[in-house]
Amino acid sequence: MSQSSINTTNSQYSARETLALIGYSLLILVATPLFLVHWLVMFLLRREHFDLHRLSRFSLYLKPIQKSQLLIHCVSVGEVNVAASLIRNIRQHSPATSITVTTTTPTGAANVKQSMPDNVQHLYLPLDMSWFMSRLLKRVQPQKVLIVEVELWPNMLRQCQRFGIPAYLVNGRMTDSSAHSYLKLRWLVHPMLRNLTKVCAQAARDHDNYLQLGVTPAQLEMTGNVKFELAQANNDKAQQLITQLNIDSRPIIVAGSTHDPEEEVIIEAAKILSLRFPDIVWIIVPRHPQRFEKVYSLIKRSGLGVVKSSRNKPPRNPVEMVLVDEMGVLGGLYSFASIAFVGGSIADRGGHNALEPAAEGVPVMMGPHRYNNPGICDVLEQEGNLVLVDNAEDVAKYVSEWLSDDEQRRSAGKAGAQVIEQNRGAIQKTLHAVGLDK
């Protein structure tokens, strides 16, 4: 079937689907003035991240917008890392490809700046109103739209269909709970999914859930998880921090992408182990920058010696804890870690990316909430790289075991690196599926 006939088919909405889209669009319309007033207040108060560039959330552009062959949409940091890997591979065989990356969060925007070439244009994705999305697509004029993982918007995809722009979901993720929620909104979700040219699913769970939601077998392909092939992070900043603190010869435990109350768990574990392993350095990297000061105050109140990573001179006292209050450092820090804890997993956030420390040959601890990437976590756990922790006592137990037995710790780390090596190939499969491998 030709692309034009696909678009003709996709344009056919039932009465219920049309009403659902109208109702959804009215909700966005009502909410938009509230978001705009919020931005204006934060801008006048000079709050961080509320700058003029963020007006692109309302499809307002104060600078000229470059046309791009590719528009890639990401939510935040994890999706930006996936996009960066795809872009590196695209540019290897097609260096002149022009690319715009959109995000919805400031942390994602910051990661675009840090992890991608300067000639990749960044914009915030507008709120999902037809006029906003139409204005974005008219300005950028992409030949293809790639959406990373799960960030699907009905009006965005409808405008892609309207302009005849193929839209692909890459590294597609769909948890069981998300699929259940989407089924409750089937009159809105089904036409949105029909407007996708291809869904590149991470694993069998995601593939099956998209089928359940109405994606046709012809639209669906299981390409694997691109996160297995994320490029190693630049560790220059991390090396500078380790050298500055003079901790390279000490056991380092990195707690990455943490949420409340995970910092409290790590602090309590540090206290439990302080007498037996006084040389441990605990490095905490909160997921969200706005929590840096709160976490710093929490550590200070605990009585542990703490220093911020942004400090420009060596501390006078021995360091027990380091709070990383900068972006773009975590990936590099894993290469210096003896053991890692991956956050968003004791806190019910679905668990962040365990592959980053595993790729560095580091054993990993995670809490029970791992529904963002269950396949990855299951494989790492089965191979002995990842262990389950529910509380501070569990963290202290595994840290004690691994630091007391170097061979066991190295074996657990090696298992993670082997899992990643065995699962390579997702990037090339994805680029082939979306027609960007030439």
Side-chain angles (χ1 to χ4, degrees):
M1 183 181 287
S2 69
Q3 184 61 53
S4 59
S5 62
I6 290 173
N7 289 338
T8 301
T9 302
N10 284 345
S11 66
Q12 296 174 354
Y13 280 60
S14 71
R16 286 183 177 180
E17 290 170 347
T18 301
L19 286 173
L21 185 61
I22 291 172
Y24 165 81
S25 300
L26 286 173
L27 287 175
I28 301 293
L29 180 62
V30 169
T32 297
L34 301 178
F35 285 118
L36 186 56
V37 169
H38 178 251
W39 172 85
L40 181 59
V41 171
M42 295 295 103
F43 176 73
L44 293 175
L45 292 174
R46 299 191 178 187
R47 295 292 174 82
E48 189 178 10
H49 306 306
F50 287 88
D51 53 15
L52 293 175
H53 180 52
R54 200 163 176 176
L55 281 174
S56 54
R57 286 289 278 158
F58 307 97
S59 204
L60 298 174
Y61 308 107
L62 303 183
K63 295 181 179 179
I65 301 302
Q66 301 171 5
K67 296 178 183 178
S68 299
Q69 294 161 283
L70 269 183
L71 173 64
I72 305 178
H73 175 58
C74 316
V75 183
S76 193
V77 175
E79 295 81 9
V80 169
N81 290 338
V82 169
S85 289
L86 294 174
I87 289 170
R88 275 190 291 272
N89 280 266
I90 291 168
R91 288 277 176 85
Q92 285 177 3
H93 58 76
S94 185
T97 301
S98 53
I99 300 172
T100 292
V101 174
T102 60
T103 65
T104 53
T105 70
T107 50
N111 202 33
V112 170
K113 185 175 181 180
Q114 292 163 357
S115 64
M116 297 193 186
D118 292 339
N119 59 358
V120 170
Q121 177 176 244
H122 172 264
L123 299 170
Y124 284 101
L125 187 77
L127 298 173
D128 193 36
M129 290 178 60
S130 293
W131 183 79
F132 287 175
M133 290 299 180
S134 173
R135 184 173 168 83
L136 170 70
L137 295 174
K138 285 179 179 178
R139 291 295 186 93
V140 178
Q141 296 185 20
Q143 296 172 10
K144 294 182 179 183
V145 170
L146 273 56
I147 300 167
V148 181
E149 294 208 351
V150 75
E151 182 80 347
L152 299 170
W153 296 102
N155 282 317
M156 178 188 187
L157 288 171
R158 188 163 187 257
Q159 292 304 310
C160 286
Q161 177 268 323
R162 178 181 165 226
F163 287 111
I165 303 169
Y168 302 85
L169 183 67
V170 297
N171 216 45
R173 176 166 56 86
M174 181 59 66
T175 65
D176 295 338
S177 60
S178 294
H180 182 71
S181 298
Y182 275 19
L183 281 171
K184 295 178 182 178
L185 302 169
R186 60 176 60 86
W187 303 117
L188 185 64
V189 170
H190 283 180
M192 175 180 73
L193 294 176
R194 289 202 304 269
N195 286 331
L196 287 167
T197 301
K198 180 81 73 173
V199 174
C200 301
Q202 289 185 11
R205 176 208 65 173
D206 312 291
H207 179 278
D208 293 347
N209 282 335
Y210 277 111
L211 276 178
Q212 183 185 13
L213 289 172
V215 175
T216 66
Q219 287 176 280
L220 194 55
E221 186 169 340
M222 193 160 71
T223 52
N225 195 331
V226 172
K227 288 181 178 177
F228 278 114
E229 297 186 80
L230 294 184
Q232 286 190 319
N234 186 325
N235 67 359
D236 290 347
K237 278 188 175 182
Q239 177 68 74
Q240 183 180 357
L241 176 62
I242 299 298
T243 302
Q244 176 182 304
L245 297 176
N246 192 27
I247 58 174
D248 55 332
S249 62
R250 296 167 61 181
I252 295 173
I253 316 299
V254 175
S257 297
T258 58
H259 298 259
D260 180 27
E262 291 170 335
E263 295 90 4
E264 294 180 16
V265 171
I266 298 301
I267 290 169
E268 185 59 32
K271 289 181 176 180
I272 293 171
L273 295 173
S274 60
L275 292 179
R276 185 175 179 190
F277 299 98
D279 286 342
I280 291 178
V281 179
W282 301 79
I283 300 181
I284 296 181
V285 189
R287 178 70 172 185
H288 298 121
Q290 61 267 31
R291 298 188 62 244
F292 288 161
E293 287 304 319
K294 180 180 179 180
V295 175
Y296 180 67
S297 298
L298 178 68
I299 300 171
K300 289 208 71 169
R301 289 197 304 272
S302 75
L304 295 171
V306 59
V307 64
K308 293 181 179 179
S309 68
S310 58
R311 182 187 177 105
N312 293 321
K313 55 184 179 180
R316 281 180 266 176
N317 300 316
V319 173
E320 293 175 274
M321 282 206 164
V322 178
L323 172 72
V324 175
D325 59 343
E326 304 169 273
M327 297 294 294
V329 186
L330 175 59
L333 283 173
Y334 282 133
S335 66
F336 296 95
S338 304
I339 301 164
F341 168 78
V342 175
S345 56
I346 291 178
D348 188 1
R349 300 300 179 91
H352 296 299
N353 187 10
L355 291 175
E356 289 182 311
E360 300 292 347
V362 176
V364 179
M365 302 177 289
M366 289 187 75
H369 302 293
R370 314 176 197 171
Y371 48 81
N372 285 343
N373 299 288
I376 288 173
C377 294
D378 288 348
V379 171
L380 292 177
E381 188 170 18
Q382 289 165 11
E383 296 301 319
N385 172 258
L386 186 151
V387 295
L388 169 67
V389 293
D390 282 311
N391 49 48
E393 289 74 18
D394 289 344
V395 172
K397 171 180 176 288
Y398 283 108
V399 169
S400 178
E401 287 182 6
W402 277 328
L403 292 185
S404 299
D405 188 337
D406 286 345
E407 182 58 35
Q408 182 185 0
R409 179 170 54 82
R410 282 194 291 267
S411 177
K414 185 178 179 181
Q418 288 175 338
V419 165
I420 290 170
E421 186 60 34
Q422 292 164 2
N423 284 275
R424 293 191 179 277
I427 289 178
Q428 286 307 313
K429 289 179 182 177
T430 298
L431 294 181
H432 179 74
V434 301
L436 291 171
D437 58 339
K438 298 177 181 179

